[in-house]
Amino acid sequence: MSLRVYAIAYLIFLYLPIFLLPLFAFNDSTIIAFPLDSLTFRWFYELWETPALHAAVQNSIFIAVLTAIFSTLLGICAARAAAKYEFPLKRPIMGLIMVPLVLPEIIVGVSLLVVVVQLLEWQLSTWTVVGAHVLICTPFSIAILNGAFQNMDTSLEEAAQDLGETPFSTFRLVTLPLVMPGIISSLLISFTISLDEFIIAFFLTGADPTMPVYIWGLLRFPQKLPAVMALGTILVLLSIILLTIAEYYRRRGLARAGLKDKGGFL
Amino acid sequence: MLISAPALYAILLLAVPLGAIFLFSFWTQDYLTLITTPTLANYQEAWNEPLYGLLLRRSLMISGAVTVATVLLAFPIAYFVSFHVRPERKSLWLFLITIPFWTSYLIRVFLWKVILGYNGVLNSGLSGLGLIDEPLTFILYNANAVVITLAHAFAPFAILPIFVALERIDRSLLEAGRDLGETKLMTFWRVTLPLAMPGVVAAVLIVFIPTIGDYVTPRLVGGPNGLMIANMIQTQFLKLNNAPMGAALAVVAMLFVSVIALGFVWLNRKFLRVKQ
């Protein structure tokens, strides 16, 4: 019983910042503190009137969409290879691909910065951010897709091939539908990670800032903070919606594979 | 081969850049020109300049404290969800635990400043309840604030591996322990905890290693005495324009983190073997 009380207290600790966000977003005061003032929508209106923010959001969405697609494609290759084939150096190769999961993000950021700017002498751009985000999102994609691929009944594929399908059409008609929920879940999670990622983007972003880089700039100006709270409220809502959809597909994938839910994305 | 695409990607965008950082740390920079003669000058500077040593020690201390706090706070939650929540409700709990982690990192960290501040939510709440007369000042713009904020940010990273390890424990082993006359507490100590150790080790590593590289939290809530080595690495690269020095500091930081992490894994193995 006391454990349940602790668990609820812990959830309150986890959700404390998120609960505060809408309070300040609708609060008619430029100071982010209690007591609250009257209700207002003007901070949301201010967001609507800020073209620089719109450019940053568009840039971030562009990066997040590309990241989601590329990291999921790489994730499919790796999860499929890991589940189906044995190859030399399997463990070290898979290990290397999964390293970004534990590597401090600043290391990824500065090492790519050195290569791009100092060694290759390229310009930083949206693409450098995409490259880095794909690197850090691929392990998450693999973790999600591993479940889908490893639990697939391989006799289904064999049956399709016995019935005259080519390897490619087998993949398209049998394998892909079975792992589709995992793929959708992976796309959504990669999208969410990329959209929110700041530490690496700060090093690698070019002339057009991403949304978190733009928010970082705003945090220095006290009069901009209520608008940041409004933006945060929208982002929290958006990511809860995306994650709920991702969770729904993850569970459906497990149900399709006939498995019990062990829970969790990681 | 299927694996070649992701493997090649990881080699080109991860292994090669890491190699480049290592190489770079032996070079020097004179304003805008890069001097590519290999030298240990950066490492000597890192060793001799007290500020770097101070930042590194502090970073390791803060990361260590964050790890201990996060894992200790997380274990009961993972235990609760694994042993006391009905199976069909487990994924809902895990989902609830992970949601805050995915939502706007920068704004979350900033809000901790609002919560912990002099006129913040915590202080006004506590004084409103009559529990304190003066606002608490030891919780913002210092290392404590960094620890609290990072413990919040990394919570799911600690809970999930421990949960997975607890889920794997064969429940009949616990019954066997009880049947053989152990108390509940002793069964936990002698059966559950050793079997959960792989999850705890994973949690420690996945919290300890990345936290050393966070520069956002120290910058926003740490104040001058809460800055960490990652802030210095960032400054070297982006403000002082001394990439080789930044690279050397990154290599040194990674070296210390790896040695401590490996040492921890080794100690844990030794400890568990003795227990068996």
Side-chain angles (χ1 to χ4, degrees):
Chain A
M1 199 55 226
S2 57
L3 209 53
R4 178 173 291 270
V5 174
Y6 174 77
I8 288 166
Y10 193 85
L11 277 187
I12 293 174
F13 165 67
L14 281 184
Y15 277 86
L16 192 57
I18 294 181
F19 280 139
L20 292 173
L21 207 47
L23 293 184
F24 294 124
F26 290 106
N27 181 26
D28 195 4
S29 162
T30 43
I31 303 158
I32 308 291
F34 286 106
L36 296 175
D37 228 304
S38 57
L39 181 80
T40 181
F41 290 94
R42 70 171 157 136
W43 309 123
F44 290 90
Y45 195 68
E46 193 179 309
L47 292 180
W48 186 251
E49 306 258 278
T50 315
L53 171 69
H54 300 176
V57 168
Q58 274 171 19
N59 196 25
S60 268
I61 290 178
F62 177 73
I63 292 171
V65 167
L66 287 178
T67 302
I69 294 171
F70 286 127
S71 63
T72 302
L73 281 175
L74 291 176
I76 291 173
C77 293
R80 170 87 170 166
K84 206 171 175 202
Y85 305 106
E86 285 304 320
F87 44 89
L89 301 175
K90 183 171 175 177
R91 281 181 65 90
I93 291 176
M94 290 306 293
L96 176 70
I97 298 172
M98 298 304 272
V99 158
L101 212 53
V102 286
L103 201 65
E105 289 184 330
I106 192 173
I107 303 289
V108 176
V110 295
S111 63
L112 282 169
L113 181 75
V114 159
V115 171
V116 170
V117 174
Q118 310 262 14
L119 297 182
L120 297 171
E121 298 188 337
W122 290 351
Q123 289 285 317
L124 290 174
S125 69
T126 302
W127 294 99
T128 45
V129 183
V130 173
H133 280 184
V134 171
L135 188 74
I136 58 158
C137 288
T138 303
F140 286 93
S141 291
I142 295 175
I144 295 165
L145 291 163
N146 257 342
F149 277 102
Q150 268 166 0
N151 298 314
M152 203 180 56
D153 190 350
T154 45
S155 59
L156 292 172
E157 289 183 327
E158 287 159 17
Q161 297 215 15
D162 289 345
L163 293 169
E165 296 287 350
T166 63
F168 180 73
S169 64
T170 307
F171 185 78
R172 194 172 61 86
L173 294 169
V174 177
T175 318
L176 211 52
L178 281 171
V179 295
M180 206 54 190
I183 291 176
I184 293 173
S185 178
S186 153
L187 285 172
L188 292 170
I189 293 289
S190 312
F191 181 86
T192 315
I193 296 174
S194 168
L195 198 65
D196 191 40
E197 201 289 320
F198 169 75
I199 291 184
I200 295 174
F202 189 60
F203 282 98
L204 296 178
T205 194
D208 311 310
T210 67
M211 186 179 59
V213 174
Y214 181 76
I215 293 175
W216 176 254
L218 289 185
L219 289 179
R220 276 181 298 150
F221 301 103
Q223 73 275 19
K224 294 280 183 196
L225 291 176
V228 173
M229 297 296 120
L231 180 60
T233 307
I234 297 173
L235 290 174
V236 166
L237 269 181
L238 184 78
S239 43
I240 289 177
I241 293 169
L242 285 179
L243 292 167
T244 310
I245 301 172
E247 172 72 3
Y248 168 76
Y249 277 104
R250 194 185 60 82
R251 287 195 200 177
R252 220 173 84 171
L254 286 175
R256 220 178 256 197
L259 285 166
K260 256 192 27 206
D261 189 1
K262 290 201 286 285
F265 286 115
L266 294 167
Chain B
M1 279 293 284
L2 270 172
I3 194 68
S4 54
L8 203 64
Y9 196 86
I11 289 169
L12 284 180
L13 274 90
L14 183 64
V16 171
L18 288 181
I21 274 279
F22 190 66
L23 183 69
F24 233 76
S25 67
F26 295 102
W27 294 354
T28 44
Q29 186 143 348
D30 191 12
Y31 293 102
L32 286 175
T33 45
L34 208 57
I35 301 154
T36 56
T37 332
T39 157
L40 285 171
N42 294 323
Y43 288 98
Q44 272 159 359
E45 196 185 324
W47 180 257
N48 291 328
E49 169 65 51
L51 179 62
Y52 298 143
L54 173 76
L55 284 175
L56 186 63
R57 274 196 306 279
R58 184 192 289 154
S59 306
L60 293 171
M61 293 286 286
I62 289 180
S63 288
V66 170
T67 311
V68 171
T70 313
V71 173
L72 283 183
L73 286 172
F75 194 93
I77 293 298
Y79 185 84
F80 171 73
V81 178
S82 181
F83 284 80
H84 292 276
V85 172
R86 275 183 284 134
E88 65 274 15
R89 298 281 293 278
K90 282 182 184 174
S91 33
L92 177 69
W93 270 90
L94 291 181
F95 187 58
L96 283 177
I97 288 164
T98 36
I99 279 190
F101 164 73
W102 298 108
T103 47
S104 200
Y105 169 68
L106 281 181
I107 296 176
R108 250 187 310 144
V109 174
F110 176 78
L111 279 166
W112 276 105
K113 196 162 122 171
V114 176
I115 294 169
L116 300 172
Y118 191 78
N119 290 318
V121 176
L122 197 64
N123 275 325
S124 47
L126 287 177
S127 64
L129 292 170
L131 291 173
I132 51 167
D133 299 325
E134 291 281 306
L136 307 172
T137 50
F138 64 91
I139 46 173
L140 187 64
Y141 296 131
N142 57 31
N144 295 338
V146 180
V147 173
I148 295 172
T149 308
L150 284 175
H152 178 263
F154 279 86
F157 272 134
I159 294 174
L160 290 178
I162 300 174
F163 171 77
V164 171
L166 288 172
E167 282 291 279
R168 288 211 186 109
I169 295 176
D170 188 347
R171 299 303 196 257
S172 58
L173 288 176
L174 305 181
E175 283 167 27
R178 299 295 303 279
D179 289 346
L180 291 169
E182 296 275 29
T183 62
K184 233 176 175 176
L185 200 67
M186 282 309 281
T187 316
F188 174 80
W189 180 246
R190 306 220 337 199
V191 183
T192 316
L193 197 59
L195 287 172
M197 269 330 261
V200 174
V201 172
V204 165
L205 296 183
I206 213 167
V207 175
F208 180 69
I209 302 175
T211 45
I212 208 97
D214 192 329
Y215 60 84
V216 172
T217 306
R219 173 72 73 215
L220 286 180
V221 303
N225 291 324
L227 289 181
M228 290 165 65
I229 192 75
N231 296 95
M232 180 50 79
I233 295 173
Q234 186 219 9
T235 307
Q236 293 286 352
F237 272 97
L238 299 181
K239 297 226 177 74
L240 301 178
N241 222 345
N242 191 348
M245 191 63 223
L249 289 176
V251 171
V252 170
M254 281 312 292
L255 201 70
F256 272 91
V257 170
S258 314
V259 168
I260 292 172
L262 289 174
F264 174 76
V265 172
W266 181 77
L267 271 179
N268 184 66
R269 281 216 183 126
K270 210 175 134 181
F271 171 71
L272 277 185
R273 196 165 299 147
V274 169
K275 282 205 100 157
Q276 283 162 4

